[in-house]
Amino acid sequence: MTTATTLPNFSDEVVTEAKIHYVDLPGGAGKAALLTLDNGRDHKRPNTFGPASLASLEAALDEVAARDDLVAVCLTGKPFIFSVGADLSVFRQLTSHEQVLEIGRLGHRVFGKLASLGVPSFAFINGASMGGGLEVALHCTYRTVSAAAPAIALPEVFLGLIPGWGGATLLPRIVGPDNAVTVIVQNPLTFNTMLKPKQAVALGVGDVLLDGADFVEQSLAWAARVVTGAHTVARPEATDEEWDAALARANAVVAGRTKNVPPAPRRALALLANARTASLADGFAAEDEALADLTLSPELAASLYAFDLVQKRAKRPVGVPDVEPAPVTFVGLVGAGLMARQLAVLVAERLGIPVHLIDINEDAVTKAREGLAADLQARAAKGRLRPDLAGRLQQQITFGTDRKDLADADLVIEAVVEDLAIKQGIFADLENIVRDDCVLASNTSSLSVSAMAAGLRHPERVVGLHFFNPVAVMQLVEVVRAQQSGDRAIAAAFAVTKQLKKSAVLVVDSPGFVVNRVLIRLLSEVMRAVDDGTDFATVDVSLDPLGMPMSPFALLELVGTGVAAHVVGAMHSAFPDRFAASPTLDALAAAGYRTVYDAASGAPAINPQVAGLVPSSAAAPSVDDVRDRVLRALAEEIGLMLDEGVVSSAADIDLCMVLGAGWPFWLGGITPYLDRSGISEAVRGKRFHDGAPDATG
Ligand code: NAD
């Protein structure tokens, strides 16, 4: 079937070809066609589907469908990769509803042929299989999964799309509605979790898990048993109760994770509900409509921008000096507290080198050593760390009280208490111990790194390396360039961050750097609303329309009122005009309330005693006023950070907020949202991005 196309000419598509081989199934089960998806590139450029790739698969399927000597058609991928789905560059070029509908229908038509060959079809999922690259497998009658496949997922909802080439309609039929909710909604909204092969088979996404080594041969043998009837696969139909429970769970997940703000999760829910009763054709048509609406939404533009920030900008950070960094073979840590212990494990694990921690006395060292051992054992017990690796890490990480043991270190990171004089004293002392080429880094969250370096013989060796808690989870490291930092030290900081598999953003030494400055401005603004008489509960829901992962007081609880009061105070000293000191926050901290929530009833109910601390005022800002104030404050603060040159562009601020604070993709971090809601122009007289947000800006 050919119709006049409305699609642009995607001349830059890297075409994934479907190559046909004919094979005899073992045990005389008959002849099968084996289609291999391969774009001819190495594993760094995975198989994807754009229009030309779909055309290649369609031609192959038409060719095998025309034969009458086959008992099965099998589909597999190139080494390491089955297919990672739609070519996103195609989606960026679509400009009309009609065009998206056409792409949606094209995928449905081509993939649908796998279900109408007259013989069973098999997907042999040999490697990564995501999005459209899993949907093509769902159109097959059966799926085998290699134990070596790194990830299997439908991440569309995470990106702001829906599984629109059949996934939303087919998956609940194959795995049941509850498992479909897990794969389509819950996992994407939980840090974009992907399935390991074993999990994929446990959920029913795959029918059988086969060993990695001769996976295709084993898959052909399994297919032969299915074709001859020696093996059958049952797919029980879900009951009404199962459907009701699954949809209720999905609603709760979406409301909890997104406050029902971004459109994609809700459209995915609607498609799942529709799949309960709709025919396949109707289900697919609903997918086409949803995909067309979402593709042209501002949320998707922001999401694709955030995706580029994380996939591209984070991997090629801006501002890395063109200097060859010296190798790091031994790292010292001063302080053996919460952050230092986590940093020690990260360095020992990712760099495979010895790490030595210094604390103040034997008691602190014993506490740190025992704490580290307990952390590692807990991880091992949960299956998150191989027991032999836990043992190895414990040998690599040593403790002591004598700074002279750091004489051979290539890098020393200080993570002692947040006190400038103590940190200055440590660096001054270390200068007399370490080699001249040793880089000294501070993990401070709020102090001036330039002040720490002042007075040293070699201030050019000092940088900030601001890691976030929990270190294993948070992807961001702010690499802080102090006034005197030299290129060698900055290059070394970037190199080490990369080896640690973290994403570095270069920030100029200034109060709060990026993430804390933005978060503390937000906190100080919401506390100002409380001080002005808006009740806590109203303030806490004021940002719900943004769908933030955490309400303001959930953030406050995470930080703790004591630390928050201290940091708001520090920022107030630095920028008294903009960061208001909050009497309520100070009172909370002084009275020992760590949180404003009622521990007995659980968040987000406000503790009545806390609520009683502030008299409400008739002139208090309304919920909309509070949100408006916060957003204006953020636009002002971010604008000033750009004017001051704290980072090189708005893209770096968004990258920091996505990776350092978990701000959502659909807000694009924050500046695309401030632009499209008109706040940027109202506050600054101009937008942060001239046109569509650009991750390379
Ligand atoms: P912590 O209180 O858990 O640990 C500090 C450790 O430093 C303690 O073990 C203490 O005994 C030791 N110490 C104090 N003075 C010392 C000295 N002169 N020599 C050697 N050791 C000394 O603190 P933390 O939460 O790990 O924070 C450490 C640093 O990291 C601070 O600068 C903090 O601002 C920063 N930071 C903390 C977080 C966080 O969430 N906790 C996040 C990012 C950065």
Side-chain angles (χ1 to χ4, degrees), residues 158-365:
F158 168 77
L159 263 183
L161 294 167
I162 44 91
W165 277 341
T169 307
L170 290 168
L171 191 65
R173 293 172 187 238
I174 296 171
V175 304
D178 193 58
N179 289 343
V181 166
T182 301
V183 177
I184 293 176
V185 181
Q186 185 180 20
N187 285 351
L189 293 180
T190 312
F191 307 111
N192 197 21
T193 305
M194 311 244 166
L195 299 172
K196 295 282 170 213
K198 219 173 165 177
Q199 296 168 314
V201 172
L203 289 177
V205 177
D207 296 313
V208 62
L209 181 69
L210 299 171
D211 211 11
D214 53 353
F215 171 70
V216 171
E217 285 68 25
Q218 288 193 51
S219 293
L220 289 168
W222 189 85
R225 287 200 296 283
V226 171
V227 165
T228 57
H231 184 79
T232 51
V233 175
R235 298 202 204 286
E237 218 171 284
T239 63
D240 273 345
E241 290 74 27
E242 283 166 342
W243 266 107
D244 290 344
L247 293 176
R249 186 169 78 87
N251 265 305
V253 167
V254 172
R257 300 281 149 109
T258 72
K259 309 267 193 301
N260 292 324
V261 172
R266 283 183 288 118
R267 290 302 283 261
L269 277 184
L271 290 172
L272 281 170
N274 184 53
R276 181 177 186 167
T277 49
S279 67
L280 278 184
D282 288 348
F284 293 165
E287 289 179 9
D288 291 337
E289 286 296 334
L291 198 66
D293 290 343
L294 293 168
T295 299
L296 302 175
S297 68
E299 286 86 354
L300 187 73
S303 273
L304 291 177
Y305 162 74
F307 184 75
D308 279 349
L309 290 176
V310 169
Q311 290 293 316
K312 297 186 180 149
R313 195 174 181 96
K315 298 197 169 119
R316 281 187 294 279
V318 175
V320 186
D322 191 12
V323 179
E324 190 61 36
V328 172
T329 59
F330 173 37
V331 168
L333 280 158
V334 183
L338 175 74
M339 291 302 286
R341 289 206 300 263
Q342 299 182 71
L343 289 172
V345 172
L346 182 75
V347 171
E349 205 172 346
R350 297 269 158 87
L351 268 59
I353 59 173
V355 182
H356 188 67
L357 292 90
I358 302 287
D359 212 302
I360 201 150
N361 55 35
E362 281 305 331
D363 279 355
V365 162

Side-chain angles (χ1 to χ4, degrees), residues 450-474:
S450 307
M452 284 176 217
L456 295 186
R457 284 198 304 280
H458 291 291
E460 73 283 355
R461 65 162 82 187
V462 177
V463 295
L465 271 178
H466 187 210
F467 288 85
F468 292 79
N469 185 32
V471 173
V473 178
M474 301 306 290

Side-chain angles (χ1 to χ4, degrees), residues 333-343 357-361 363-365 367-368 400-401 403 414-419 422-423 425-426 442-447 452 465-471 516 558-559 563 567:
L333 280 158
V334 183
L338 175 74
M339 291 302 286
R341 289 206 300 263
Q342 299 182 71
L343 289 172
L357 292 90
I358 302 287
D359 212 302
I360 201 150
N361 55 35
D363 279 355
V365 162
K367 194 175 140 217
T401 54
R403 290 184 196 146
E414 75 73 22
V416 302
V417 283
E418 191 75 335
D419 181 307
I422 295 181
K423 290 179 192 273
I426 288 171
S442 170
N443 185 43
T444 181
S445 2
S446 60
L447 300 172
M452 284 176 217
L465 271 178
H466 187 210
F467 288 85
F468 292 79
N469 185 32
V471 173
N516 285 349
L558 188 78
V559 179
V563 173
V567 189

Side-chain angles (χ1 to χ4, degrees), residues 29 108 116 141 178-179 350 352 458 494 516 540 557 599 643:
H108 280 128
S116 55
T141 333
D178 193 58
N179 289 343
R350 297 269 158 87
H458 291 291
F494 271 111
N516 285 349
D540 207 26
E557 180 173 64
D643 295 345

Side-chain angles (χ1 to χ4, degrees), residues 93 96 178 183 273 290 456 544 555 558 594 596 634 642 646 657:
Q93 295 172 55
S96 73
D178 193 58
V183 177
L456 295 186
D544 280 6
L555 173 67
L558 188 78
R594 192 192 145 80
V596 303
L634 293 183
L642 294 175
V646 175
M657 297 320 290

Side-chain angles (χ1 to χ4, degrees), residues 393-650:
L393 291 174
Q394 249 165 294
Q395 284 177 357
Q396 266 170 263
I397 301 172
T398 51
F399 296 84
T401 54
D402 188 351
R403 290 184 196 146
K404 292 203 180 60
D405 292 337
L406 303 182
D408 291 331
D410 307 295
L411 166 70
V412 179
I413 308 173
E414 75 73 22
V416 302
V417 283
E418 191 75 335
D419 181 307
L420 181 61
I422 295 181
K423 290 179 192 273
Q424 280 171 327
I426 288 171
F427 280 168
D429 188 43
L430 283 172
E431 265 214 315
N432 297 322
I433 296 170
V434 297
R435 290 192 318 264
D436 277 356
D437 60 352
C438 173
V439 173
L440 301 181
S442 170
N443 185 43
T444 181
S445 2
S446 60
L447 300 172
S448 162
V449 181
S450 307
M452 284 176 217
L456 295 186
R457 284 198 304 280
H458 291 291
E460 73 283 355
R461 65 162 82 187
V462 177
V463 295
L465 271 178
H466 187 210
F467 288 85
F468 292 79
N469 185 32
V471 173
V473 178
M474 301 306 290
Q475 194 51 37
L476 180 70
V477 178
E478 292 173 336
V479 171
V480 182
R481 183 187 269 284
Q483 277 157 22
Q484 312 91 326
S485 301
D487 280 354
R488 233 195 108 259
I490 297 287
F494 271 111
V496 132
T497 311
K498 187 169 183 186
Q499 284 177 290
L500 294 173
K501 298 201 173 77
K502 298 287 177 192
S503 303
V505 172
L506 185 64
V507 308
V508 164
D509 187 21
S510 64
F513 312 128
V514 172
V515 174
N516 285 349
R517 182 158 165 188
V518 173
L519 290 181
I520 297 297
R521 183 76 201 266
L522 183 153
L523 263 187
S524 115
E525 216 53 48
V526 298
M527 287 315 301
R528 201 159 64 85
V530 174
D531 289 326
D532 287 350
T534 309
D535 64 273
F536 284 93
T538 302
V539 170
D540 207 26
V541 297
S542 62
L543 298 181
D544 280 6
L546 276 78
M548 289 284 195
M550 238 186 237
S551 71
F553 294 137
L555 173 67
L556 180 63
E557 180 173 64
L558 188 78
V559 179
T561 54
V563 173
H566 175 78
V567 189
V568 169
M571 292 303 283
H572 174 66
S573 310
F575 306 116
D577 297 345
R578 304 195 309 281
F579 288 76
S582 167
T584 309
L585 182 57
D586 292 343
L588 285 171
Y593 293 106
R594 192 192 145 80
T595 167
V596 303
Y597 294 128
D598 186 358
S601 67
I606 304 294
N607 180 342
Q609 283 170 324
V610 167
L613 285 178
V614 195
S616 58
S617 146
S622 69
V623 68
D624 291 341
D625 292 341
V626 178
R627 184 173 54 258
D628 194 52
R629 279 182 177 198
V630 169
L631 293 176
R632 282 168 172 270
L634 293 183
E636 179 187 40
E637 202 59 41
I638 291 168
L640 287 167
M641 291 160 79
L642 294 175
D643 295 345
E644 292 165 18
V646 175
V647 287
S648 65
S649 76

